[in-house]
Amino acid sequence: GQSLMEAARDHDVDGIYGDCGGNLACATCHVVVPPEWVPVTGQPDAMEDDMLDIVETGRTETSRLSCQIL
Ligand code: FES
């Protein structure tokens, strides 16, 4: 299947780049999940959480890296 990042990139969603190809190494696939969707998307694991630390603007409590949303 596709990650959310791949689906967004394939549809030219503005601001989703996925520069590292989904390898948890860039954070250019950052998204903010609406709180009501968190039960569906789940929570970031420790590695994703570390990578979210490099998001420069707009990180929130429900930030995710969309390449990790499958
Ligand atoms: Fe690089 Fe998601 S595409 S971290």
Side-chain angles (χ1 to χ4, degrees):
Q2 268 198 327
S3 69
L4 183 60
M5 177 279 282
E6 291 169 314
R9 192 187 52 192
D10 289 356
H11 292 87
D12 297 319
V13 175
D14 210 31
I16 304 296
Y17 303 108
D19 288 346
C20 76
N23 291 309
L24 212 51
C26 73
T28 65
C29 64
H30 171 236
V31 295
V32 173
V33 177
E36 65 271 26
W37 281 90
V38 171
V40 178
T41 61
Q43 303 283 340
D45 65 15
M47 282 177 55
E48 182 182 342
D49 200 60
D50 282 349
M51 192 54 56
L52 278 165
D53 287 342
I54 76 170
V55 173
E56 289 180 354
T57 54
R59 186 179 177 181
T60 78
E61 291 279 302
T62 63
S63 283
R64 293 292 309 273
L65 295 177
S66 60
C67 69
Q68 304 302 303
I69 299 175
L70 303 175

